[in-house]
Amino acid sequence: MKVKVIGGGLAGCESAYQLLKRGINVDMYEMRGVKSTPCHKTDGLAELVCSNSLKAQSLDNASGLLKYELARLDSLILKCAYKTDVPAGGALAVDREKFSALVREELDKFDGFRLIREEVCDIDEDSPTVIATGPLTSDSLSESIKKIVGANRLHFFDAVAPIIDAQSVDYTKAFFAGRYGKGGEDYLNCAMNKEEYLRFYSELINAERASLKDFEINVFERCMPIEIMASRGEDTMRYGPLRPVGIRNPYKDERPYAVVQLRKEDASGSAYNIVGFQTNLKFGEQKRVFSLIPGLENAEFLRYGVMHRNTFIDAPKALDEYWALKDKKHIFFAGQMTGVEGYMESAASGLMAGINLARRLKNQKDLLLPETTVIGRLQRHISTENDDYQPMNANFGILPVLTDPPRDKKARKFRYSTRAIGDMERCLKNYKEI
């Protein structure tokens, strides 16, 4: 048996691994290396385009629960992330290059894996296929997808934060610290007093932005450009990525009015990304405005932030809860184009698409996880009718409410996770060869 996997991102690589480990050969088609995208920088598999953070690991966070579920189902992406991690407090962050290389190395261990550097323009409806081409799907393939899905494509824009050279930071102003002293000194902090913040805020909201040409702007909240966030009000950033709580400035005997945090891009700490600073400002404006941040006055930008098109299908009209087309049961979709948002969420969709396609090819029962699990809720999110379908990420708000929830917020979050773990284990006992 052989399956086509179109797209070598997180979802595509995860799907390929799940198929390969179940004895099914995979031809993976990846156009990068032949044709690039506006945002990818390499032709490597599983390239992380935006942040290098895969978010929280603790079970008092929905992202941590998702990681547990992925680990329980033997996720390739998660295993490679743990092996290439860099310090990031309570979050899981990776060295991008090592992570990408390891994913490729693991797939190459299978004799049945073949990587084909080629743009796919048409979908063979008679061939078992996983389509995981992501938000930057080429125009020609997008048209083919539009025909096979039978629904209009939707557009929104995704934004990427800039990366700076660590050697260009002024360490007489910037300092290492974790919020409330937790997680070690994994973040580099740039504190602002009120005067510095208000100047930065004024310049940011008035800075010139790059044009977005022919598409309607519909920004997913978690990828919102910092300048759009700032335009919502003077203090919006201070309650978001620039919140000053839990941070003490060792250089000044005063509480910061706002704090900009930077996170390592690699294990050596040679580069940092500015946390939460996705942006659509023109490159010159990024240099001018972000250099107003104390400690970044002479920052050298290794990569400026950009904003790019993101495309996803109206999944509830086209897909079942297993990420397959309703009327073509052997054609699966996976990744952000299905309306899941986030690195690990994309990997989860690829994992479930790979598992369920393999099970269908072997005439086994489809895997549907309980709705109390994050993956189970995402399965239902992409398949439940919704007149205003929008991308969704892992959060406890999508799970069914608890009966008799604890008053303590942290205890309540742990209860969501323990319930999900128990329900998942009971569910998996009913399936063979998971």
Side-chain angles (χ1 to χ4, degrees):
M1 289 183 285
K2 179 178 289 188
V3 167
K4 292 180 181 177
V5 174
I6 307 175
L10 299 180
C13 290
E14 188 67 68
S15 286
Y17 175 74
Q18 298 301 328
L19 289 158
L20 289 162
K21 66 176 284 190
R22 289 168 173 81
I24 298 171
N25 293 341
V26 171
D27 282 349
M28 174 178 283
Y29 291 81
E30 172 53 62
M31 73 176 188
R32 286 179 297 116
V34 175
K35 180 179 180 179
S36 190
T37 75
C39 288
H40 287 88
K41 300 298 182 183
T42 76
D43 62 1
L45 298 184
E47 179 184 344
L48 301 183
V49 174
C50 300
S51 169
N52 68 328
S53 172
L54 307 183
K55 297 192 282 193
Q57 302 187 70
S58 171
L59 287 175
D60 65 350
N61 188 291
S63 294
L65 173 57
L66 175 57
K67 289 178 180 63
Y68 175 92
E69 296 171 13
L70 288 169
R72 179 64 178 82
L73 295 171
D74 188 33
S75 163
L76 170 69
I77 295 302
L78 187 62
K79 287 192 295 187
C80 291
Y82 283 134
K83 290 179 180 179
T84 59
D85 67 329
V86 298
L92 174 61
V94 302
D95 182 308
R96 295 174 196 258
E97 293 183 5
K98 291 181 180 178
F99 170 74
S100 174
L102 183 57
V103 171
R104 174 66 189 274
E105 179 183 323
E106 291 297 318
L107 292 175
D108 280 338
K109 289 180 180 179
F110 292 92
D111 293 336
F113 176 70
R114 185 168 65 137
L115 178 61
I116 302 170
R117 297 288 184 176
E118 178 182 311
E119 180 185 4
V120 175
C121 298
D122 295 297
I123 299 167
D124 181 357
E125 298 184 27
D126 296 322
S127 176
T129 304
V130 177
I131 302 166
T133 46
L136 300 175
T137 299
S138 67
D139 290 340
S140 55
L141 184 57
S142 292
E143 287 303 313
S144 182
I145 291 172
K146 185 176 180 181
K147 292 176 184 177
I148 196 173
V149 167
N152 292 328
R153 287 180 295 153
L154 302 175
H155 301 281
F156 70 97
F157 282 81
D158 201 0
V160 180
I163 296 175
I164 63 172
D165 187 338
Q167 295 185 31
S168 65
V169 176
D170 182 352
Y171 292 96
T172 66
K173 297 179 180 179
F175 56 94
F176 292 96
R179 207 174 291 278
Y180 296 108
K182 296 181 179 179
E185 298 182 345
D186 297 338
Y187 287 85
L188 184 59
N189 299 272
C190 300
M192 296 181 179
N193 60 32
K194 185 173 182 178
E195 180 182 356
E196 290 166 335
Y197 174 80
L198 292 178
R199 182 188 176 200
F200 171 74
Y201 165 77
S202 176
E203 294 298 325
L204 179 61
I205 62 173
N206 291 298
E208 189 174 1
R209 305 173 189 177
S211 62
L212 292 175
K213 299 184 179 179
D214 300 328
F215 297 96
E216 178 184 359
I217 303 174
N218 181 17
V219 182
F220 183 53
E221 288 288 321
R222 290 184 68 89
C223 294
M224 177 173 297
I226 190 69
E227 63 272 12
I228 293 181
M229 181 186 297
S231 68
R232 293 183 170 184
E234 182 180 296
D235 289 324
T236 304
M237 292 186 294
R238 294 180 62 245
Y239 287 95
L242 274 69
R243 63 189 185 280
V245 296
I247 299 289
R248 301 290 295 185
N249 187 344
Y251 301 128
K252 294 183 178 180
D253 186 22
E254 62 183 16
R255 291 189 177 185
Y257 190 74
V259 175
V260 176
Q261 291 195 305
L262 291 81
R263 181 175 51 230
K264 287 183 180 180
E265 270 294 308
D266 52 35
S268 67
S270 63
Y272 283 84
N273 65 65
I274 312 178
V275 178
F277 270 57
Q278 299 90 347
T279 183
N280 188 46
L281 296 184
K282 288 188 172 182
F283 290 175
E285 291 289 80
Q286 290 182 46
K287 173 67 174 175
R288 181 182 68 83
V289 176
F290 297 158
S291 293
L292 296 174
I293 298 170
L296 303 186
E297 293 89 346
N298 298 304
E300 179 182 342
F301 288 76
L302 302 178
R303 183 191 72 187
Y304 285 105
V306 295
M307 200 168 181
H308 58 84
R309 187 183 76 182
N310 198 341
T311 305
F312 63 97
I313 62 176
D314 192 353
K317 291 184 173 64
L319 304 182
D320 63 22
E321 58 266 50
Y322 309 104
W323 272 278
L325 286 176
K326 292 178 179 179
D327 58 351
K328 295 179 177 62
K329 299 295 186 178
H330 57 279
I331 296 182
F332 285 70
F333 283 78
Q336 284 186 245
M337 70 186 316
T338 67
V340 295
E341 180 63 32
Y343 288 147
M344 299 314 296
E345 291 86 344
S346 292
S349 70
L351 178 143
M352 294 300 288
I355 289 176
N356 281 314
L357 178 50
R359 295 183 70 81
R360 288 186 181 184
L361 291 174
K362 296 182 177 184
N363 296 313
Q364 297 172 334
K365 182 173 68 171
D366 292 327
L367 175 60
L368 177 66
L369 293 179
E371 65 173 349
T372 53
T373 65
V374 173
I375 296 176
R377 281 305 304 163
L378 291 177
Q379 286 185 271
R380 291 156 177 85
H381 171 71
I382 60 104
S383 60
T384 301
E385 287 294 330
N386 188 333
D387 292 335
D388 185 26
Y389 183 65
Q390 293 293 321
M392 181 59 66
N393 53 16
N395 65 86
F396 287 129
I398 66 176
L399 303 182
V401 296
L402 295 166
T403 56
D404 191 25
R407 289 178 178 270
D408 179 74
K409 185 177 181 180
K410 190 168 186 177
R412 189 161 60 246
K413 291 179 177 180
F414 272 115
R415 179 76 65 82
Y416 275 112
S417 291
T418 55
R419 179 184 68 174
I421 291 168
D423 289 349
M424 184 175 186
E425 293 302 323
R426 285 185 285 273
C427 169
L428 292 180
K429 290 180 180 179
N430 296 319
Y431 290 86
K432 296 180 179 180
E433 300 177 14
I434 289 296

